[in-house]
Amino acid sequence: MLTQRTRIGLWTATILTGLVGIVNLLSAAAPGLPERTHWLKEFLPFSVRAGGHLFAALTGFVLLTLAANLLRRKRVAWLLTIGLLIVSILSNLLKGWDYEESMLSAILLMQLLLMRQVFTAQSDRPSIAQGVRVLIGALLFTLAYGTAGFVLLGYKFTVNHHRVNFHPAQALLQTLAMFFTADNAGLEPQTRFAEFFANSIYIIGGITVTYALLMLLRPVLLRQAATLAERRRAQEIVEKNGQTSIARFTLLDDKSYYFSPSGDSVIAYVPKGRGAIALGDPIGPVEDRKEVILGFQHFCDRNDWYPAFYQTLPENLDIYKSLGFRVLQIGEEAIVDLKSFSLKGKANQNLRTAVNRFTKSGHEVKFYEPPIDDKLLLELRAVSDEWLKMMQGAEKQFSVGWFDEAYIRECAIAAVHTSSGSICAFANLVSLFNIKEISVDLMRRRVQVENGIMEFLFVSMLNHYKEQGYESFNLGLSALSGVGGTEKSPRIEKVLYYLYQHLNRFYNFKGVHSFKDKFRPRWEPRYMVYPRLSALPTVVVALVRADSGDRLLDYFKPES
């Protein structure tokens, strides 16, 4: 955790960097004071003094772009700022002996040097290499482009009011003059195309330099999945300590892992952009929880990521809050108590009707234990593909499974067979590791099925696993359920409540909740934990990308 003194230092350095950038831009646009520049004329030619103005303007612009990256504690931004401040000091002195601007840059330079140990956030190494290559390539390409153009179009320009035919060496020097002199060494285009060509040199150089800066400063991108050894280690910890409905999903192939210093706890996460979204709370001994959360926070800081935890449990909120995190309720998880589950009573009349109707018509729910054979997998795949096409969507990831044959093969399957024996709907089920609870994951059906088929499937599953000795059945998260409905709810949760009430056409929030509520579950709150309010938009985008596999447009399409 950063101390208050360090945060103040970072904000001061950021604001001062932006101020130096603005001062440089304004100073570059203003002529030098005559009483200061008269003696410089004796030592420095006009082109050098004008070049000082140009460099002051360029450093001012780049410093403005780097200011926010200093607040992110980027090491590369720190190095670039140090170099630019040195250039700023020299250029302000050369262009007009503007020692006030140079002193401001020098003060910032000393502050950044004293704070050098604070700037530890890494940039993406392959991107840094790419940025450097782009920068070098941009320089060489721009020089080659300008040189060739001036050789071919020399007759369309004048230099100091004289027509010239550029030789290659002269064309190269003229291209350099475009960037390092205020008057382009006297170059004047004589046609519209010549003017376009001269401007294009700046455009090409500006675009490539901007792209190079973006590459140099981007957050670390995780390009390699977890190793086999890491997956085995994570599996051992999860099987020993996992006690939630999403624990099994921490072992799916889209996850990376952070292990506690003791090696007894693990956090399964997916990095997207600047967000590193952990699925659930850390898994491991309770006494290890605070240490692993703090370690993950530092790990994310080094990689320029915002750490966040999705679907956390209420009992861990105090730990997160003590470490400076903010908490947002995202919905409720529906859990059916199988010991008391029954279809008796007036409230369950519709469920009894659905079960009796499908039983009489010859429908039957069959249960298959893993490993699932190829023939059954093929039929389940056909149902799944038809469902996805009907929903005009794609597979979700992160907090749920997806139809991956290796994954489905190792799950229990409940399938509804018609009177002819074909499968018209199915669900896969996941057992929890250390409690007698089972959870449903995928729920898929054919397009042409009678109303009530999913109720028939779920009642059959509840009764089956009750007979198997399970104590509870987890129906999964009902997004935005129970969020922001009271006067004491935080303002942001009230916004989510508004979305729950008014965005039903994009996602059937209420319909999903109503379906699960038919089985009389208890509703347990689930939360998202994030570092601060300003980071929330970035975290939400990262969560959407992790959930949808970067298919953002598919995110709002309903799953059931």
Side-chain angles (χ1 to χ4, degrees):
M1 294 289 290
L2 296 178
T3 64
Q4 187 67 21
R5 182 177 178 182
T6 300
R7 289 195 186 95
I8 293 173
L10 277 173
W11 274 104
T12 303
T14 299
I15 294 171
L16 197 54
T17 301
L19 179 62
V20 170
I22 294 171
V23 168
N24 276 11
L25 287 173
L26 295 176
S27 178
L33 297 175
E35 61 270 22
R36 295 187 184 181
T37 59
H38 72 280
W39 64 273
L40 284 175
K41 297 177 182 178
E42 300 179 10
F43 301 97
L44 300 174
F46 173 77
S47 59
V48 174
R49 288 181 281 116
H53 281 266
L54 183 60
F55 272 109
L58 290 174
T59 55
F61 170 74
V62 179
L63 284 172
L64 285 173
T65 66
L66 291 174
N69 289 282
L70 290 176
L71 193 60
R72 290 163 56 187
R73 298 165 54 217
K74 299 288 289 185
R75 187 69 177 178
V76 171
W78 179 82
L79 290 170
L80 290 173
T81 304
I82 293 295
L84 287 171
L85 287 173
I86 295 172
V87 173
S88 175
I89 293 169
L90 295 175
S91 62
N92 279 304
L93 292 175
L94 290 175
K95 71 181 177 64
W97 200 248
D98 294 324
Y99 55 83
E100 297 94 344
E101 290 91 331
S102 294
M103 287 179 61
L104 184 62
S105 296
I107 291 171
L108 177 58
L109 177 62
M110 287 187 291
Q111 181 185 1
L112 290 176
L113 289 173
L114 291 173
M115 295 179 63
R116 60 187 179 277
Q117 294 182 345
V118 175
F119 298 93
T120 56
Q122 302 175 28
S123 293
D124 190 54
R125 290 186 179 182
S127 296
I128 291 177
Q130 184 179 353
V132 171
R133 289 195 299 268
V134 168
L135 205 55
I136 295 172
L139 175 61
L140 295 177
F141 175 78
T142 304
L143 289 177
Y145 173 76
T147 300
F150 283 123
V151 169
L152 296 173
L153 301 172
Y155 64 93
K156 295 185 179 182
F157 293 93
T158 62
V159 177
N160 295 323
H161 308 294
H162 297 288
R163 288 193 177 274
V164 294
N165 289 318
F166 287 102
H167 299 295
Q170 293 174 311
L172 176 62
L173 292 174
Q174 182 60 57
T175 304
L176 291 171
M178 298 286 289
F179 290 96
F180 297 109
T181 64
D183 64 348
N184 297 337
L187 184 78
E188 293 183 3
Q190 299 300 304
T191 67
R192 291 179 64 184
F193 185 80
E195 184 177 4
F196 162 77
F197 170 73
N199 291 332
S200 71
I201 294 177
Y202 295 121
I203 294 171
I204 291 171
I207 291 174
T208 51
V209 168
T210 300
Y211 177 73
L213 280 174
L214 291 174
M215 290 295 99
L216 290 171
L217 297 171
R218 73 191 303 180
V220 173
L221 304 178
L222 203 64
R223 289 175 168 80
Q224 295 181 341
T227 64
L228 182 59
E230 288 174 332
R231 294 199 177 281
R232 287 174 177 170
R233 185 179 171 192
Q235 184 170 352
E236 291 175 1
I237 296 173
V238 172
E239 288 180 352
K240 181 179 179 181
N241 299 282
Q243 294 186 343
T244 65
S245 61
I246 55 176
R248 174 65 180 83
F249 304 129
T250 65
L251 301 178
L252 296 182
D253 291 343
D254 61 330
K255 307 301 187 301
S256 298
Y257 300 105
Y258 172 81
F259 297 94
S260 65
S262 66
D264 295 328
S265 296
V266 64
I267 292 175
Y269 69 96
V270 173
K272 293 290 182 182
R274 288 196 64 197
I277 314 299
L279 181 58
D281 299 295
I283 299 176
V286 174
E287 59 272 15
D288 204 20
R289 196 140 298 167
K290 187 170 184 176
E291 181 184 20
V292 68
I293 294 172
L294 186 60
F296 183 64
Q297 191 176 27
H298 290 159
F299 169 71
C300 290
D301 284 345
R302 290 194 301 272
N303 288 288
D304 193 26
W305 296 335
Y306 289 132
F309 297 81
Y310 180 68
Q311 291 197 39
T312 62
L313 301 179
E315 54 262 36
N316 295 313
L317 297 185
D318 288 341
I319 298 177
Y320 293 111
K321 290 178 180 178
S322 71
L323 295 175
F325 285 94
R326 301 187 64 153
V327 173
L328 173 67
Q329 187 177 347
I330 55 170
E332 295 176 308
E333 199 165 62
I335 303 172
V336 178
D337 182 0
L338 292 179
K339 291 181 292 184
S340 61
F341 175 74
S342 169
L343 291 183
K344 296 178 180 179
K346 185 177 180 181
N348 294 315
Q349 177 62 50
N350 291 337
L351 294 179
R352 290 198 302 273
T353 299
V355 170
N356 293 334
R357 176 160 53 90
F358 284 105
T359 301
K360 289 179 180 178
S361 64
H363 288 73
E364 179 184 6
V365 176
K366 294 183 179 179
F367 293 86
Y368 302 90
E369 293 300 317
I372 305 302
D373 62 48
D374 291 339
K375 182 180 179 181
L376 179 57
L377 273 177
L378 191 62
E379 191 168 1
L380 297 177
R381 166 70 77 179
V383 175
S384 178
D385 289 347
E386 186 174 327
W387 182 86
L388 288 171
K389 185 177 180 180
M390 174 182 65
M391 304 308 298
Q392 298 180 347
E395 295 280 14
K396 300 295 186 281
Q397 298 181 17
F398 187 58
S399 60
V400 295
W402 56 93
F403 201 101
D404 174 77
E405 290 192 0
Y407 166 63
I408 298 297
R409 191 184 297 275
E410 298 305 318
C411 293
I413 301 294
V416 181
H417 291 258
T418 65
S419 57
S420 64
S422 63
I423 295 176
C424 64
F426 77 90
N428 73 297
L429 299 122
V430 178
S431 296
L432 277 64
F433 289 110
N434 294 288
I435 56 177
K436 294 292 288 182
E437 182 174 302
I438 196 159
S439 178
V440 66
D441 185 17
L442 303 183
M443 299 167 280
R444 309 228 160 142
R445 62 176 176 80
R446 296 278 188 185
V447 175
Q448 299 297 328
V449 293
E450 295 182 52
N451 290 334
I453 194 69
M454 298 309 288
E455 286 85 346
F456 175 58
L457 173 61
F458 270 76
V459 169
S460 300
M461 290 192 295
L462 292 168
N463 284 327
H464 174 80
Y465 286 104
K466 179 179 182 178
E467 294 172 1
Q468 295 294 312
Y470 284 87
E471 297 176 354
S472 53
F473 190 102
N474 197 302
L475 300 174
L477 182 73
S478 179
L480 303 186
S481 169
V483 176
T486 67
E487 288 293 329
K488 295 182 179 179
S489 299
R491 184 174 300 176
I492 190 168
E493 290 187 9
K494 290 181 179 179
V495 172
L496 293 179
Y497 179 76
Y498 177 86
L499 296 178
Y500 180 77
Q501 296 294 327
H502 294 88
L503 293 184
N504 220 46
R505 69 190 186 93
F506 294 106
Y507 185 92
N508 191 16
F509 295 108
K510 292 183 179 180
V512 172
H513 179 85
S514 297
F515 176 81
K516 294 178 180 180
D517 203 41
K518 291 178 181 180
F519 306 100
R520 304 292 182 268
R522 70 176 185 272
W523 294 96
E524 295 186 358
R526 295 294 180 262
Y527 300 87
M528 183 168 72
V529 176
Y530 59 100
R532 56 184 179 273
L533 189 60
S534 61
L536 186 57
T538 301
V539 167
V540 170
V541 170
L543 175 62
V544 171
R545 291 179 60 189
D547 177 79
S548 64
D550 283 326
R551 296 178 296 272
L552 298 182
L553 295 178
D554 293 332
Y555 179 67
F556 293 104
K557 294 176 182 177
E559 292 193 25
S560 59

